[in-house]
Amino acid sequence: MELSKNYLPSEVESKWYAHWNEKGYFNSTPDDRPAYSVVIPPPNVTGVLHMGHCLNNTIQDILVRDARMKGYNACWVPGTDHASIATEAKVVAMLRERGIAKSSLSRDEFLQYAWEWKDKYGGIILQQLKKMGCSLDWDRTSFTMDDDYYKSVIQVFIDLYKKGHIYRGKRMIHWDVKAKTALSDEEVIYKEVNSKLFHLRYHIEGEDAAAQMGITIATVRPETILGDAAICVHPSDARYQHLVGRFALVPLINRRIPIIADEYVTPDFGTGALKVTPAHDMNDYQLGLKYQLEIIDTMEDDGTMSAAATLFVGEDRLEVRKKIIPLLEAAGHLVKTEEYINQVGFSERTDAMVEPRLSLQWWVSMKTLSKPALAAVMDDQIHFHPAKFKNLYRHWMENIKDWCISRQLWWGHRIPAYYAPDGSFAVAASVEEAWEMLQQTQPDLLKASIRQDEDCLDTWFSSWLWPFEVFHGLSQPNNAEIKYYYPTNTLVTAPEIIFFWVARMIMAGYEYMGELPFKDVYFTGIVRDKLGRKMSKSLGNSPDLLALIDQYGADAVRFGIMIASPAGNDILFDESGLEQGRNFNNKMWNALKLIQMWKLRIGHADESAKPDFAMNWFEHRLNHTRKEVASMMEQFRLSEALKTIYSLIWDDFCSWYLEWVKPGFEQPIQAAVYERTIGYFEQLLQLLHPFMPFITEEIYHLLQQQPSDLCTKPYTQIPDIDSNLVNAGELLKQLISGLRDARIKNQLKPKTPVHLHIQTNEEKQYDAIRSILAKQINATEVSFTNEPIAKSIVVAIEKDRFYLETAEFQETGAQLETLQKDLAHQHQFLEQVRKKLQNERFVQNAKPEVIELERKKEADALARIQTIEASIAGLQ
RNA sequence: GGGAGCAUAGCUCAGCUGGUUUAGAGCAUCUGCCUUACAAGCAGAGGGUCCGCGGUUCGAACCCGUGUGCUCCCACCA
């Protein structure tokens, strides 16, 4: 078969993916083999493939494919997350385009649109993963709002409520006054704003001198003074100590508020006195709780002043900010006004200035749940890669705060709390159950009067069940699959969700399965652009992944992203890595072409061409590298493993081995050489397969008829390695490079033949490599000599001297220069080694092996010097 | 403000337990080659104050301290 000039990935990739899928290689069911299970971090159902997914899923695929070839029953579970906020926003936007306002729809109508949207557009990303070659078990595709899954989420809520871990409580949230909705922290964008810092003097109750002075606070939000509940100073602030415990009067309305002391206050900011408005500031609310201050909510949900404000009722808070200052000034409260730049939150959706607002939310108490989860990581039952994230994890877990799980959204798992008209409620799986429970205290309660909580649960409240619920661990307890696949083996995720997701999965794992959810966690880096910016949709700096796959091939994309990404380190994405991957494809493709040509010329080869050394060397070199790679894979050093394989294939196999065994022009090749070469190539392809599955499968089948596919082929055991043979190969490489360098430096044309004379004490050492050496440096003859050869190029390598004799030789001075440079270098080196050896303390303290090595270095350097000096003498 | 991390060739980064023949790779650069697998290639070469300073050690890119510069996460000071 005629092969194309270059490797053409697109057809090959779709062909093999379809084939693998058809054969069901990626499907897993429990059997006698040990399991290796991985659950995908479920991408948002709204998502499209970006570089982060590409990195993350390539890593998982490498681990899963490697495990499969190691003989594990590998199971990689795909799925998507309902992503309440993101999806609801998309659906709202879609409706808006169609001229439908969310507020005009009932909850059920809205959800119907949402499901339609999900069925149509959701899960595009899963299709895209197929393009990348991900070996997922598609029959297991899960969704966090599947029926069983939904029920489990509700069951967990009810269970935690019964155990007392879930409670209802007030909380400050970010409020969007335009959309009249709560915002999650992620939806608030902080911007620098030019504000004014007003210094306002409050009167103090009483008639003494201190009261006459009053107390001056600084604020950028003077309209909120109407909701003031206290003034707070630092306990050790000498200026105010005498005022603590007394009362101040709120300007304009003369409400009496206490002066309290707390270390929260920064003495050197503003005046060192802080007005406390618990209803309208996150931190003030905390102070309010601590000192049991009155909470005066002076604002309506649309941002206008409420009746509680007593002044400006019905006017917008930003208008009031302008209007209240002249009043304060007129009444003598304004001490001074400073220009001030501060950070203010704005709504991502409406750009409205966000208002902190108090509301009733559902919470999970974290204290008890977090304990086993912290211990599991600190005791290394769960291993983090890289381990540096352990510190971060501990710090967070030790300072963990309760988790607010309610969201003012419709798309998601609806909170299973049911309210009677009097405000009492029951937590239950259905309205019927709730009715029964409520009837115990309210026998006359009508079922129709019961209302379910309008809010949904935080997305993470469902995804924390992911590692076991994809196997129905909770909905069908103790089923065969959960017993077989759980705990899963490795979780691959981004460090930014270590708290949102990883920590919580560990907690849920212990709480509901009594066991850790995974044994290893591999944290990927963040993919950045060339300028170091995080790739994101809003910056528009994320390249179109499918276009890249079209251009370079999926294998090259996988190569490009993996070669630059050690665990936990950010990667700067650069297309040059993909080019390297594509070139690597071509390199292997061309090696295939070469070997295919040989097939036509198998026959009796010339006895002088003895490639036995090359074959034996490569066999050991290959096994040596297989060992290295296996150890790197164990340690999750995937990037290094790939580099090692790349260099083994390109340098050792293509550049050295194939050249060494290659027959001369139109010469036949021995059948044994051909067979062994194919065997090595197959092993190389297998080693690379987890990283670049498509091209390896393709070449594997083109090399010769195969009994099975590469992706299911088990690795063979690695035989013992003869390191002498490996070293002999390295020496041969060194000789070839050294002699080629001498040829170039002396301006010999590549085609100019030479006669190589070797002056050595160990002629035998050259037996095996003589013919290879001759071919690689274009020597027509190789012989030994006891004395320098006149009018030749002299080269000193290790302890031996080499003379390149040729008719075209011209004295250029280049060789003398090379020798003298080398000599100087050796002298310097020798001096360094001797300094060490002459240091008594070194000889006394260093390990014997180290000293032995230094002695060897000294002896080698001496021998080298002798060789070089003799060479120079021969020249002169 | 709290926490974590980084600084090694022009660029992007490896360098594991301190000692492996005076620090490695890819890209870029330079020289020579269109050699019947491959010019997206081959054969070579050059390129380093391992951020500065101090310390520990027989020995430091690696350990400790300190300074400088940068990055990320968390919290958002009225």
Side-chain angles (χ1 to χ4, degrees):
Chain A
M1 184 176 78
E2 187 70 23
L3 295 178
S4 57
K5 179 166 156 46
N6 284 330
Y7 173 65
L8 304 169
S10 64
E11 274 174 42
V12 170
E13 291 177 355
S14 47
K15 174 184 78 183
W16 283 115
Y17 200 86
H19 175 78
W20 293 329
N21 226 4
E22 210 171 283
K23 289 272 184 179
Y25 292 147
F26 307 150
N27 299 122
S28 168
T29 45
D31 61 21
D32 296 339
R33 291 174 294 168
Y36 185 91
S37 53
V38 173
V39 291
I40 199 170
N44 286 357
V45 71
T46 59
V48 289
L49 201 62
H50 60 62
M51 294 313 291
H53 297 122
C54 174
L55 171 65
N56 184 275
N57 289 291
T58 299
I59 291 167
Q60 290 174 76
D61 195 44
I62 290 165
L63 296 174
V64 168
R65 284 180 183 271
D66 187 53
R68 196 175 286 126
M69 293 201 294
K70 277 179 177 151
Y72 289 96
N73 183 350
C75 180
W76 185 15
V77 182
T80 45
D81 189 293
H82 68 284
S84 53
I85 294 170
T87 308
E88 179 145 336
K90 286 240 166 173
V91 175
V92 168
M94 178 269 288
L95 289 171
R96 196 184 300 132
E97 261 175 45
R98 293 206 231 157
I100 305 170
K102 183 189 164 190
S103 54
S104 72
L105 297 175
S106 72
R107 187 183 187 110
D108 285 344
E109 285 167 341
F110 177 81
L111 286 179
Q112 205 175 330
Y113 280 116
W115 277 105
E116 272 170 28
W117 189 93
K118 184 257 169 189
D119 291 338
K120 195 162 174 193
Y121 302 107
I124 288 177
I125 191 166
L126 297 182
Q127 298 310 311
Q128 295 176 323
L129 289 177
K130 294 180 179 172
K131 286 246 172 214
M132 284 180 43
C134 293
S135 59
L136 288 146
D137 182 352
W138 296 107
D139 293 351
R140 295 179 177 274
T141 307
S142 298
F143 178 54
T144 50
M145 276 170 64
D146 285 339
D147 286 349
D148 270 5
Y149 204 112
Y150 195 111
K151 282 181 200 147
S152 295
V153 171
I154 299 305
Q155 187 190 333
V156 164
F157 184 97
I158 296 169
D159 179 68
L160 289 177
Y161 179 75
K162 281 186 186 153
K163 287 175 180 161
H165 295 317
I166 284 186
Y167 63 93
R168 223 173 157 223
K170 279 191 176 167
R171 184 205 184 200
M172 294 297 283
I173 46 143
H174 298 292
W175 188 259
D176 181 332
V177 296
K178 268 195 204 160
K180 293 190 199 174
T181 178
L183 298 175
S184 72
D185 294 353
E186 292 76 24
E187 292 170 301
V188 177
I189 298 165
Y190 288 89
K191 295 184 202 167
E192 277 201 347
V193 169
N194 291 312
S195 303
K196 289 193 165 59
L197 188 63
F198 302 102
H199 291 239
L200 302 174
R201 180 160 44 227
Y202 285 36
H203 295 309
I204 288 174
E205 200 179 50
E207 301 295 331
D208 58 334
Q212 296 295 317
M213 290 277 297
I215 184 164
T216 302
I217 57 90
T219 182
V220 291
R221 305 194 53 193
E223 75 281 9
T224 64
I225 65 170
L226 304 170
D228 281 356
I231 285 176
C232 189
V233 298
H234 195 275
S236 59
D237 192 332
R239 292 171 294 179
Y240 302 117
Q241 265 171 358
H242 62 290
L243 295 176
V244 175
R246 297 186 61 167
F247 289 85
L249 299 168
V250 177
L252 307 180
I253 54 175
N254 285 329
R255 193 154 38 72
R256 190 169 168 268
I257 56 172
I259 296 170
I260 59 175
D262 191 275
E263 289 179 347
Y264 164 71
V265 178
T266 315
D268 47 6
F269 184 89
T271 63
L274 166 77
K275 72 183 209 58
V276 183
T277 321
H280 298 285
D281 183 279
M282 300 278 179
N283 296 299
D284 289 9
Y285 178 67
Q286 294 303 321
L287 282 174
L289 286 182
K290 196 164 167 186
Y291 297 99
Q292 295 174 336
L293 301 172
E294 194 186 350
I295 293 166
I296 304 155
D297 190 346
T298 58
M299 206 177 294
E300 300 289 349
D301 63 4
D302 61 355
T304 59
M305 304 305 276
S306 71
T310 67
L311 297 175
F312 305 108
V313 174
E315 295 186 57
D316 187 83
R317 79 246 188 258
L318 297 179
E319 284 303 309
V320 176
R321 186 177 301 177
K322 289 179 204 154
K323 283 186 179 173
I324 199 168
I325 289 301
L327 290 186
L328 290 165
E329 191 169 15
H333 293 290
L334 186 64
V335 177
K336 70 170 170 178
T337 306
E338 283 178 298
E339 290 299 320
Y340 181 62
I341 296 168
N342 64 342
Q343 303 270 326
V344 177
F346 291 85
S347 167
E348 188 180 27
R349 287 195 234 162
T350 65
D351 204 36
M353 198 178 274
V354 166
E355 290 296 335
R357 196 159 189 263
L358 208 54
S359 77
L360 207 51
Q361 305 284 336
W362 290 92
W363 299 79
V364 182
S365 162
M366 288 280 117
K367 257 197 191 121
T368 322
L369 291 174
S370 64
K371 266 187 196 147
L374 173 59
V377 172
M378 297 326 289
D379 302 347
D380 287 324
Q381 292 167 59
I382 296 174
H383 296 269
F384 279 5
H385 308 275
K388 68 179 177 187
F389 288 112
K390 270 170 80 173
N391 283 334
L392 190 68
Y393 181 82
R394 185 180 58 203
H395 184 256
W396 191 75
M397 292 294 268
E398 283 174 352
N399 297 287
I400 195 161
K401 290 179 192 155
D402 285 356
W403 176 16
C404 179
I405 51 170
S406 39
R407 295 288 183 274
Q408 290 67 46
L409 296 163
W410 282 347
W411 175 248
H413 306 81
R414 190 170 179 180
I415 293 175
Y418 297 85
Y419 301 87
D422 72 344
S424 62
F425 66 89
V427 169
S430 65
V431 64
E432 286 77 16
E433 253 180 62
W435 188 31
E436 245 173 67
M437 290 161 77
L438 289 166
Q439 271 178 325
Q440 302 199 343
T441 50
Q442 306 172 52
D444 302 332
L445 185 70
L446 295 173
K447 187 182 160 193
S449 69
I450 296 174
R451 291 276 168 272
Q452 187 177 356
D453 201 302
E454 289 294 321
D455 290 351
C456 277
L457 290 163
D458 180 12
T459 293
W460 302 107
F461 193 85
S462 59
S463 31
W464 71 332
L465 314 180
W466 189 251
F468 51 84
E469 195 45 35
V470 296
F471 301 113
H472 303 278
L474 204 61
S475 43
Q476 298 160 34
N478 294 315
N479 71 70
E481 299 225 321
I482 190 77
K483 283 195 212 157
Y484 184 69
Y485 292 115
Y486 191 90
T488 66
N489 292 73
T490 308
L491 176 79
V492 180
T493 191
E496 50 204 0
I497 55 175
I498 186 169
F499 311 131
F500 283 133
W501 195 43
V502 179
R504 287 170 184 162
M505 278 191 289
I506 299 175
M507 294 181 211
Y510 279 104
E511 185 69 17
Y512 289 102
M513 294 293 116
E515 219 179 334
L516 43 85
F518 28 70
K519 295 155 197 154
D520 292 284
V521 183
Y522 180 110
F523 290 105
T524 66
I526 294 166
V527 185
R528 300 176 180 285
D529 66 10
K530 267 191 199 164
L531 302 172
R533 300 172 306 179
K534 189 170 163 177
M535 282 190 174
S536 71
K537 231 183 285 171
S538 52
L539 272 175
N541 57 351
S542 186
D544 177 352
L545 204 54
L546 294 179
L548 289 177
I549 290 176
D550 280 346
Q551 192 183 348
Y552 294 99
D555 285 327
V557 171
R558 291 167 65 119
F559 178 94
I561 197 134
M562 285 312 296
I563 202 75
S565 60
N569 278 24
D570 287 359
I571 68 171
L572 291 194
F573 179 77
D574 186 344
E575 278 195 36
S576 75
L578 308 199
E579 275 174 40
Q580 203 187 335
R582 178 199 57 194
N583 295 352
F584 187 31
N585 278 341
N586 283 334
K587 189 69 188 175
M588 290 187 283
W589 188 248
N590 279 297
L592 167 71
K593 276 162 64 179
L594 175 68
I595 293 169
Q596 283 212 335
M597 282 174 54
W598 291 351
K599 196 174 184 177
L600 308 172
R601 290 204 300 269
I602 295 173
H604 282 289
D606 178 4
E607 264 308 293
S608 72
K610 269 171 60 183
D612 291 30
F613 175 83
M615 293 191 291
N616 294 336
W617 164 75
F618 190 73
E619 186 162 327
H620 288 266
R621 172 83 213 164
L622 171 64
N623 288 328
H624 175 79
T625 307
R626 277 184 65 193
K627 259 196 182 145
E628 274 182 2
V629 168
S631 140
M632 287 168 184
M633 295 297 288
E634 292 272 298
Q635 297 168 68
F636 293 93
R637 285 154 60 184
L638 306 186
S639 181
E640 266 180 89
L642 178 56
K643 268 179 208 169
T644 306
I645 299 168
Y646 172 80
S647 158
L648 177 69
I649 293 177
W650 196 306
D651 300 332
D652 289 303
F653 185 65
C654 293
S655 296
W656 295 114
Y657 172 78
L658 288 179
E659 294 298 332
W660 290 355
V661 300
K662 194 186 207 172
F665 182 53
E666 293 194 334
Q667 296 295 304
I669 187 161
Q670 291 171 23
V673 179
Y674 176 75
E675 299 295 337
R676 279 177 77 174
T677 302
I678 284 184
Y680 299 146
F681 203 175
E682 286 179 0
Q683 288 193 60
L684 293 171
L685 293 169
Q686 188 176 18
L687 201 54
L688 182 64
H689 179 78
F691 297 87
M692 301 174 78
F694 294 111
I695 188 171
T696 48
E697 186 79 82
E698 174 74 1
I699 295 180
Y700 179 72
H701 285 277
L702 289 174
L703 273 174
Q704 62 178 337
Q705 192 73 31
Q706 300 290 359
S708 64
D709 292 316
L710 183 60
C711 77
T712 56
K713 190 182 176 186
Y715 294 119
T716 54
Q717 262 210 321
I718 305 174
D720 287 337
I721 294 143
D722 177 356
S723 54
N724 286 332
L725 204 45
V726 175
N727 293 339
E730 295 311 303
L731 180 66
L732 176 56
K733 288 182 195 172
Q734 199 188 335
L735 293 176
I736 294 169
S737 294
L739 293 171
R740 279 174 176 168
D741 184 32
R743 287 185 59 116
I744 288 176
K745 285 221 170 80
N746 288 281
Q747 295 169 9
L748 291 191
K749 292 254 153 47
K751 282 178 180 161
T752 306
V754 294
H755 179 172
L756 173 66
H757 303 267
I758 305 174
Q759 189 175 3
T760 178
N761 295 325
E762 292 176 77
E763 291 187 9
K764 262 175 68 184
Q765 145 178 314
Y766 290 89
D767 284 351
I769 60 174
R770 209 171 140 165
S771 63
I772 295 172
L773 184 58
K775 191 168 70 175
Q776 295 298 295
I777 63 161
N778 194 15
T780 44
E781 207 176 327
V782 180
S783 55
F784 294 98
T785 176
N786 291 320
E787 52 192 26
I789 306 295
K791 298 221 166 184
S792 70
I793 300 162
V794 57
V795 186
I797 297 169
E798 294 293 306
K799 288 167 204 162
D800 297 337
R801 276 182 276 167
F802 302 83
Y803 306 92
L804 300 176
E805 192 186 19
T806 166
E808 288 173 33
F809 171 73
Q810 280 182 334
E811 180 53 69
T812 60
Q815 45 178 333
L816 187 62
E817 198 186 313
T818 308
L819 287 166
Q820 277 168 341
K821 224 167 129 186
D822 197 6
L823 186 64
H825 172 225
Q826 291 299 332
H827 273 299
Q828 215 180 342
F829 178 69
L830 179 66
E831 202 182 325
Q832 229 179 29
V833 173
R834 285 195 161 155
K835 218 164 125 189
K836 248 189 197 177
L837 285 167
Q838 280 156 12
N839 182 337
E840 271 176 42
R841 290 204 286 182
F842 169 75
V843 181
Q844 277 164 17
N845 294 317
K847 281 183 272 181
E849 314 83 276
V850 175
I851 297 170
E852 199 44 52
L853 185 67
E854 291 301 315
R855 292 242 158 84
K856 186 170 182 310
K857 281 188 199 171
E858 185 187 29
D860 287 353
L862 280 170
R864 290 273 302 133
I865 287 169
Q866 220 178 3
T867 309
I868 299 165
E869 278 173 344
S871 305
I872 291 172
L875 274 179
Q876 284 160 348

